[in-house]
Amino acid sequence: MELPEQALLEQHFDAAFAAPDGMKKLRELILTLAMQGKLVPQNPADQPAAELLKDIEAEKRRLVAEGKIKAPKPLPPVESEEVPYQVPEGWAWVRLGEIANDSDSGWSPQCLAQARTGEDWGVLKVSAVSWGNFRPEENKALPPGMEPRPDTEVKIGDFLISRANTEDLVARSVIVAETPPHLMMSDKIVRFLLSEFVDKIFINICNSSKHARTHYIANASGTSSSMKNVSREVMSILPLPLPPLAEQRRIVARIDQLMARCDELEALRATQQQKRLDVHTSALNALLTAQEPQAFAEAWGFVAAQFSDLYSVPGNVAELRKAVLQLAVMGKLVPQDPADQPASELLREIEPEKTKIVDEGKLKSLEGESYVQLESVPYEIPQSWAWCKLDDIAGIARGGSPRPIQEYMTNDPKGISWIKISDSDRGTRYITSARERIRPEGLKKSRLVVPGDLILTNSMSYGYPYILDIEGAIHDGWLLIRMPENLVNKIYIYNVLLSGYVKEMFAKAAAGAVVQNLNADKVRQLPIPLPPLAEQRRIVAKIDQLMALCDTLEAQLAAQTGKQSELLHSLMDAVTPRSITPEHRAQPARARAVKEPKAPKEAVAAGNFGEPKRRGRPPKAAAIPLASSEADAIRRLEAAKLERLERAQGTRQVSMFE
C-alpha cells in the first residue's frame, strides 16, 4: 500500500522541489525518511534489532576472550529525552559505541608541508575525511628518518570520523572504500571498528543525519566556530536508530537509488536551464544584429511568443535589461519620426551652450575638431542620428580631495555633503544623501556639484553613472558630466553610459593599469550615439516602461520562488513527524553521562559485561495520524500550511501533528 508521505511527495513534487534549495531539501528528506523507517517497508521476518544487539555483545565477548580488544566500558542507556522520534517495531535506539567493537585514533608528528610522494609514509589531514568521501591525497609527508606507526595505518573498510574542524564539518565521517598503503591517521581522526552485524554505510549515513549533527554541535568544545573539537566519548554516546541488518541493507540500496535519481534530476534541470539561457541569448543576438526591419520584427516576434518561458529565469531578466539599453543606443527601441530635428542640427545648437557651461564651471574641454569621424563609428545608427564625442555635448571635470581629509571632516549639519562612492546604490539612478560632511574651506580643493548633475565613477569600481539629488562636493574618484539640459536629455546620456557598448569601451580604456581607472580625457573622447532631442525623450520613456516590466518580472519570480519555498517547507512538515519531545534540547554529554560501576574482574575474565540495557523503542508518545486517502493527504498538507501561517502570526493552536 502506498504510504501517505509518498502520495504527498508525488502530488506536489514538481512545485515544491523547483524551489532554489529544493534538491538539497529532497536529499535531506530522503535521509530523514530513511532514519525514521519510512523509506522501505519493514519485513516481519527480519531479525529484530534487539536480537542483533545480543549478537554484537557475543561478538565483543569473543574478541575480548581472544585478546583482540579490551573489555569495553559500559555506556549509559539511551534515555527517552534523547530520542527525537519513534522508530518502527523491530528497531532500537543504541549508542555508536555499543555497535563498535573498539576505537582508536592516530598521531600527529611534525610532518613536512608537502604531501608524500609515491608510497612513502604520510599522515592524513582532517580534510581527508571531511567531505563525505575519503580523500587519500589530503596528507602530509613523514620526515625522512622518522619511524612510522603502522598500527595507525588506514585500511579498506575503516569507518573514520574527524575529531576537529569547523562547526559544520566536525565529526563528519567516511567509509574507506579504497586507499593506497602507508597512510596513517592523525590524532584528529578517530577510527571506530564497527561490528560485522551492522552495515557500515548505514551507520555512516546515520552519523550525517540532522539528529547526529545536533548531538555533535551541542557537545563540541572550543569557543571559536572556526574550530570545534569532539571527543571520542561524545562520539561513542551518539544515539542512533538501529534497524534489523537486512533492513539496513535495503535502506542503503534505496538511498543509493534515490540519490542517483536526484543526480539525474539535477542534471536534467541544469540542461533545461542552459537550453533556456541559450535560446534567450540567441534571440537577443538576433534582435541586436538585425540589419533590416523585417529581420528585427521576426526576432522580436519570437521573443514575444516565448516571453513567459524565456523570462521564467531571473538571469534572463537581467540580460533583458542589458538588451533594452543596447537596443536603445542602436536606435532600435522606438521608431524614428521624420519630423524630428536631426541630431546634426542639434549639435550646432549645443556647441555654444556647452562652451558656456565649460566657462562658467571652469571645466576642461578637448582641443581639436569636433564630432567623430565616420571611419571610427562603432556601429550603424539611424539617418537622423549623429555620432559625437561626449566632450561635444558636455563639460567634464574630475573631482578633488582636500588632504589630509580628516582635517576637513565635520559633524556640523551645515557642513557640505561629502559624496563618496559608498553613498551610491548600484542599480538605482539617484544619489539622495551622503553620510559624511566637510567644512566649507574644503571646497577650495574639491568640486561643488548640484542637484541634477550627472557624475561617473572613474576609479576602482569605475564606469557607473548617477544623477545627484543633493548638493555637495565630490572627490577625485568621480567625474562630473554637465550638459545643457534644454538640448540634451540627461537621462538618455545616463542610459547610454549604462549600456553594454559603453561598458566595453570603458573596459578597453581602463585596461593595462595596475589600479584600473578612467582617465578624464578618455571619457571625453567616448563616442556617443546622439538621436534627435524628441527621440531621446521617447527612448527614455520606453526604457523606463520596459525596466518597470523587468521589475515586475523579477518580483513575480521572487514571489513564485517564495511560494515554492513555502510549499516545500509545508511538504517537509507534513511528511516528517515532529519530535516526540519538542521541548527537548540537546544537552552536553557530560550532563547526561551515567557513571556505571565497573564490572568485577571475575566477570570480565568470564566475558560477562552485565545485562545489556534496554534499547528498544522509547515510551510511546501520541501517534501521528496517517492519511486515509489522497483527499485526506491534501487536507493535511493544507492544514500544515495554515499552521505555519498561524505560527508566524502568533495565533497557532495545537494541531493533529502534535
Side-chain angles (χ1 to χ4, degrees), residues 108-117 120-125 138-146:
S108 290
Q110 191 68 39
C111 292
L112 303 179
Q114 69 271 17
R116 67 161 190 179
T117 57
D120 292 344
W121 285 93
V123 178
L124 291 168
K125 298 188 290 185
E138 295 289 329
N139 69 79
K140 291 185 177 181
L142 199 67
M146 182 176 287

Side-chain angles (χ1 to χ4, degrees), residues 474-630:
I474 56 173
H475 57 65
D476 49 13
W478 292 104
L479 291 177
L480 168 63
I481 303 173
R482 191 174 286 167
M483 62 202 76
E485 296 186 25
N486 60 323
L487 298 174
V488 181
N489 189 295
K490 167 176 45 192
I491 299 178
Y492 170 76
I493 300 301
Y494 165 86
N495 285 318
V496 171
L497 294 174
L498 281 176
S499 68
Y501 147 67
V502 169
K503 294 296 181 190
E504 185 177 339
M505 296 289 287
F506 281 163
K508 292 178 180 177
V514 176
V515 178
Q516 294 190 335
N517 54 54
L518 291 173
N519 180 279
D521 279 345
K522 290 183 178 179
V523 174
R524 293 186 181 100
Q525 293 167 350
L526 177 69
I528 295 292
L530 187 69
L533 181 59
E535 188 172 345
Q536 293 177 39
R537 294 167 180 155
R538 293 197 299 274
I539 290 172
V540 168
K542 192 65 173 179
I543 289 175
D544 287 348
Q545 179 187 10
L546 292 175
M547 291 302 175
L549 172 62
C550 289
D551 292 341
T552 301
L553 287 172
E554 288 176 334
Q556 289 173 344
L557 289 174
Q560 178 184 350
T561 299
K563 289 179 180 178
Q564 289 170 341
S565 296
E566 181 182 350
L567 178 59
L568 174 63
H569 290 300
S570 297
L571 182 59
M572 296 283 284
D573 283 350
V575 300
T576 55
R578 299 186 184 281
S579 168
I580 61 174
T581 55
E583 75 286 351
H584 171 64
R585 296 292 182 269
Q587 300 175 4
R590 295 180 296 277
R592 293 197 308 266
V594 176
K595 291 186 177 180
E596 299 282 345
K598 292 184 178 180
K601 292 182 179 180
E602 301 80 10
V604 172
N608 181 11
F609 309 123
E611 289 297 318
K613 305 295 180 184
R614 175 172 174 79
R615 301 157 177 111
R617 301 168 71 185
K620 273 198 170 182
I624 298 170
L626 298 179
S628 58
S629 65
E630 181 179 0

Side-chain angles (χ1 to χ4, degrees), residues 412-445:
D412 188 344
K414 295 182 180 180
I416 297 170
S417 294
W418 181 238
I419 301 169
K420 301 169 68 175
I421 294 176
S422 59
D423 295 316
S424 63
D425 187 3
R426 189 79 56 83
T428 60
R429 183 180 293 173
Y430 297 96
I431 293 178
T432 59
S433 64
R435 297 180 183 87
E436 298 178 354
R437 295 178 180 275
I438 60 171
R439 292 186 284 109
E441 49 266 38
L443 257 185
K444 296 176 182 179
K445 298 181 180 181

Side-chain angles (χ1 to χ4, degrees), residues 51-76 94-103 192-198 235-238 240 242 603-613 615:
E51 297 297 320
L52 197 63
L53 288 167
K54 293 179 182 178
D55 291 339
I56 294 173
E57 291 287 342
E59 180 187 19
K60 288 184 181 180
R61 286 194 291 269
R62 176 179 58 81
L63 292 173
V64 170
E66 295 173 355
K68 294 182 178 179
I69 64 171
K70 294 180 180 180
K73 293 180 180 179
L75 293 171
V94 301
R95 298 197 185 275
L96 176 58
E98 292 182 82
I99 58 173
N101 293 324
D102 201 2
S103 64
F192 279 85
L193 303 177
L194 297 177
S195 167
E196 64 181 33
F197 294 103
V198 297
M235 296 176 187
S236 295
I237 65 169
L238 170 68
L240 297 174
L242 186 70
V604 172
N608 181 11
F609 309 123
E611 289 297 318
K613 305 295 180 184
R615 301 157 177 111

Side-chain angles (χ1 to χ4, degrees), residues 7 12 25-26 53 93 105 136 197 199 226 284 287 294 343 363 388 397 409 428 447 472 560 574 587 611 620 647 658:
H12 299 282
K25 292 294 185 183
L26 176 58
L53 288 167
W93 280 97
S105 60
F197 294 103
D199 187 289
S226 62
L284 291 186
L287 278 173
Q294 179 63 28
L363 310 179
C388 63
M409 304 304 294
T428 60
R447 185 169 298 278
Q560 178 184 350
Q587 300 175 4
E611 289 297 318
K620 273 198 170 182
R647 187 188 298 117
E658 296 189 18

